[in-house]
Amino acid sequence: MTPHINAKENAFAKTVLMPGDPLRAKFIAENYLENVSLVTDVRNMFGYTGEYKGNKISVMGSGMGIPSIGIYAYELFKFYGVENIVRVGSCGAYSKDLNLYDIILAQGACTNSAFQENYKLPGTFSAIADFDLLLSAYNNAKNLGITVHVGNVLSSDVFYQDDVDAWKKWQSMKVLAVEMESYALYAIAANLGKKTLTILTVSDSLITHEETTAEERQTSFTKMMEIALNL
Ligand code: ADE
């Protein structure tokens, strides 16, 4: 048991899929996994372990933002023997090349958060995905006939930004999209010698102001899950 996870030792698989929403974790467990059991429910941040094609796999909500995923990822890696965390989330598009429902493999993550100060580095930490997971996700997508975009994302600490044009600076650096968690996930994995990847579905666009409905997100979500579950 850890302060935020009330699972027994060895309750988690080596690989944990992490959507932001704990009810999405429940949905994944109930619809994609077999022999599922609920392993943690502190603060209703549900975590499940089950099997996919005979392999043990877990799924747990991360909550929103760097502090939240930072807590859960650290405890899973450090105290539950987890080796791989694959975030499956949504993002807002910065790139003109992205349409709603497109899928991004986050090769790297920039941030406006102070998270890296935790590590007292004498410079700037570049947060990157694990190459094996990235390559495997890319190949899975190719084999499944799913188009993916691979590149940098911004993990923002602020959803409702006061300067409404600030995102254009990131766009000018070819950052594809914004979300709120990957930088911390990647940094924690680097620090603890673990593996991580973020797979994102575009849920809205900063350029066109289009947004997806919850219902419509289901189809693209299925594609993202196929990539993640077959890693
Ligand atoms: N996740 C999905 N859309 C987002 C946005 N526009 N900003 C931050 N995180 C997001």
Side-chain angles (χ1 to χ4, degrees):
M1 298 248 282
T2 57
H4 307 93
I5 300 175
N6 59 357
K8 295 199 178 90
E9 217 183 322
N10 300 321
F12 285 93
K14 294 281 174 226
T15 299
V16 180
L17 305 185
M18 292 200 102
D21 181 352
L23 292 181
R24 188 44 75 92
K26 185 169 188 273
F27 178 89
I28 294 167
E30 288 172 353
N31 289 278
Y32 292 93
L33 307 187
E34 290 174 323
N35 305 320
V36 174
S37 48
L38 177 71
V39 295
T40 182
D41 62 359
V42 178
R43 291 176 182 238
N44 287 336
M45 193 58 78
F46 305 124
Y48 303 84
T49 296
E51 286 174 17
Y52 181 76
K53 293 184 180 167
N55 296 318
K56 192 174 166 188
I57 189 161
S58 298
V59 56
M60 181 177 173
S62 71
M64 287 185 286
I66 281 173
S68 185
I69 199 166
I71 288 170
Y72 296 114
Y74 185 88
E75 292 184 13
L76 288 171
F77 281 146
K78 188 89 181 171
F79 305 111
Y80 284 99
V82 171
E83 293 296 328
N84 313 298
I85 294 180
V86 180
R87 166 166 149 68
V88 282
S90 62
C91 64
Y94 282 176
S95 165
K96 292 184 182 70
D97 297 335
L98 288 167
N99 295 308
L100 294 185
Y101 314 114
D102 278 2
I103 294 176
I104 296 174
L105 306 181
Q107 184 179 15
C110 309
T111 195
N112 53 19
S113 109
F115 190 80
Q116 74 147 350
E117 286 175 21
N118 191 30
Y119 302 108
K120 303 271 184 292
L121 297 165
T124 307
F125 179 71
S126 294
I128 55 169
D130 175 76
F131 184 72
D132 292 335
L133 287 177
L134 180 64
L135 185 63
S136 177
Y138 184 79
N139 287 333
N140 282 354
K142 226 172 166 182
N143 293 336
L144 292 160
I146 300 168
T147 304
V148 289
H149 302 257
V150 183
N152 226 339
V153 300
L154 172 68
S155 301
S156 180
D157 254 359
V158 188
F159 187 88
Y160 297 106
Q161 191 116 27
D162 192 47
D163 177 356
V164 293
D165 287 327
W167 66 274
K168 292 178 182 165
K169 295 278 187 193
W170 294 106
Q171 183 195 47
S172 77
M173 295 299 284
K174 308 296 174 280
V175 171
L176 298 176
V178 57
E179 50 89 80
M180 304 185 79
E181 292 82 15
S182 297
Y183 188 91
L185 184 62
Y186 289 4
I188 290 166
N191 183 245
L192 299 178
K194 306 284 183 169
K195 296 183 173 194
T196 44
L197 172 69
T198 291
I199 307 175
L200 300 164
T201 298
V202 175
S203 62
D204 53 276
S205 168
L206 280 281
I207 301 171
T208 63
H209 304 290
E210 295 168 284
E211 283 177 12
T212 55
T213 64
E215 241 180 342
E216 290 166 334
R217 279 200 289 273
Q218 206 58 52
T219 324
S220 53
F221 175 76
T222 303
K223 287 195 220 160
M224 183 165 67
M225 288 314 302
E226 280 180 59
I227 297 171
L229 282 163
N230 289 295
L231 282 173

